[in-house]
Amino acid sequence: MRLKRSLYSAIVAVALLLTLAGCDTPPVDDTGGVTTDSATTLAQNTDDTTATIDTDTDETDMTLPPYDGTMKDISSAELVRDITIGWNLGNTLDAYHSANPSETMHWIDYNNMKAVETAWIGGIDFVTTPALFKRVKDAGFNAVRIPVTWYEMASGAPDYTIREDWMNHVQSIVDMAVNGGMYVILNTHHDEFVMRFDDPDGGEKAVTALWKQIAERFRDYDEKLIFEGLNEPRARTNGWNQEGQWDWSGNLALFKILNGWNQAFVDAVRVTGGNNQKRHLMLATYAAQGRDDQLNNFALPKDPVTSNGNSKFILSVHTYSPFNWAHNGSGSYNGDGDIRYDIERVAERAGAMGVPVIFGEWGTVQRTNHDDRVRHASDYLRIATEQRNTGSKVVMACFWWDNNGDFALVSRRNDIDSKHKEIIDAMLQGRNSG
């Protein structure tokens, strides 16, 4: 990987000169519940002998990235408008020891990057490949969100130096998606364990340290690579070194801390220069919630480099709606009235701030009625797309949460089955009719 990337960088540099010129308790779910993911248990009971398998990233079937360092100076609204539907590479690079986040994942070898990558989804048989992104693209998605947990593969405070082998591995997967012509969102996902609200200054330093390194590594990628500063930033009510309780609602003091961290994220990216001065940045509300308190107390950071007056900010919200049906698989879906208010409330706040929205996570569990899941998928995308024609005139994009478990749509190894394809097609139909 490193040799090929260095060779590629050298080629680009020469070209530029000639032309004068990127099992324990399962993970907490993204809206407050605990995800029941059998894949987590499977991964944690995987025979340790899998750790001896070669970890070198095979790039022989990968072309050079289809970018030349040119960054289009467009607004975030223009960028989000070009996203059809998005997909999450969930429960993959974002693994951590969920029962005790201060401990290592004892069931895997930390020198095996593929083992770390697939620690929650059943082992290296589920490793990410270029073929997976082709399957995603062929299904109709043109964007992928790549959640990554960094702190487990970094040194401690205050530097949080990210391991080079982990950075290289993450970059190789980003390049697979880039090579496939996809928009890509790269984030810090479960790093809430070092971005702690009970230590605001330490949390801000962690945000700054991690994002400076990530931004520097991916500085030369074009506008199709989006940085998402924080996944679901939230406080823990007790037991930071054990399985504590998440505070999903927050309060004014916590909202203020988060606003400061979002500013630190923007500053950390912009200071690295290059294309990052025009990089589109996703900014989360508290816990990525879309309720009134979290929306109304979210404040846009100041952008030290906003080119041509074009906003480079995107509001990041996660919405499983209606929650009990979509997330827990209970109750019933009664039509678009069940979801319209949740989407329109986010659109109203985003419209007042003049920014687009990416619903970085949404979806429905497989336990629910299939026909209702199809109808819900169409309704969700239709209502989100309609917002660009309302008084708020907000552009929205939606990224399905695929955890390779009960929210899965795209198989990591096989063709998409017919029922999942129906849901994807319904999403596209809703997106095109809104």
Side-chain angles (χ1 to χ4, degrees), residues 24-38:
D24 296 297
T25 305
V28 177
D29 168 76
D30 300 288
T31 49
V34 174
T35 301
T36 304
D37 186 355
S38 59

Side-chain angles (χ1 to χ4, degrees), residues 114-132:
K114 292 181 181 180
V116 178
E117 173 196 341
T118 58
W120 276 358
I121 60 172
I124 61 175
D125 284 346
F126 294 92
V127 70
T128 307
T129 64
L132 171 61

Side-chain angles (χ1 to χ4, degrees), residues 89-125:
L89 184 68
N91 277 19
T92 305
L93 295 162
D94 52 323
Y96 68 96
H97 194 305
S98 55
N100 188 338
S102 66
E103 292 183 3
T104 61
M105 295 181 284
H106 55 76
W107 61 93
I108 56 102
D109 176 3
Y110 273 82
N111 290 318
N112 182 327
M113 296 303 98
K114 292 181 181 180
V116 178
E117 173 196 341
T118 58
W120 276 358
I121 60 172
I124 61 175
D125 284 346

Side-chain angles (χ1 to χ4, degrees), residues 75 77 88 94 97 121 183 249 269 306 311 336 404 406 420 425-426:
S75 70
N88 274 270
D94 52 323
H97 194 305
I121 60 172
Y183 285 93
S249 299
V269 172
T306 301
S311 170
D336 66 12
N404 199 45
D406 49 5
H420 292 161
D425 288 345

Side-chain angles (χ1 to χ4, degrees), residues 22 69-74 76 79 184 186 211 214-228 265-266 269-270 272-282 303 305 307 310-314:
T70 302
M71 185 87 161
K72 292 181 181 177
D73 189 10
I74 60 175
S76 289
L79 180 140
V184 178
L186 183 64
W211 269 111
I214 299 166
E216 286 172 357
R217 173 59 70 101
F218 292 94
R219 177 171 45 207
D220 295 333
Y221 287 65
D222 67 18
E223 74 285 348
K224 283 194 169 184
L225 178 63
I226 303 160
F227 292 161
E228 177 188 16
F265 159 59
V266 172
V269 172
R270 295 294 186 237
T272 60
N275 285 346
N276 286 337
Q277 291 194 359
K278 301 177 184 177
R279 183 75 53 203
H280 298 273
L281 305 178
M282 286 175 61
D303 196 346
V305 184
S307 180
N310 290 337
S311 170
K312 307 297 183 182
F313 290 158
I314 303 166

Side-chain angles (χ1 to χ4, degrees), residues 352-399:
M353 293 187 291
V355 296
V357 175
I358 286 182
F359 291 108
E361 297 179 15
W362 75 285
T364 56
V365 295
Q366 293 179 9
R367 293 185 297 275
T368 54
N369 178 275
H370 174 69
D371 291 340
D372 283 345
R373 293 183 80 202
V374 171
R375 185 161 57 111
H376 176 274
S378 178
D379 289 345
Y380 196 101
L381 267 293
R382 173 176 51 80
I383 294 171
T385 306
E386 285 174 352
Q387 302 313 305
R388 67 185 62 180
N389 301 318
T390 65
S392 297
K393 297 189 182 302
V394 172
V395 181
M396 293 179 153
C398 307
F399 284 65

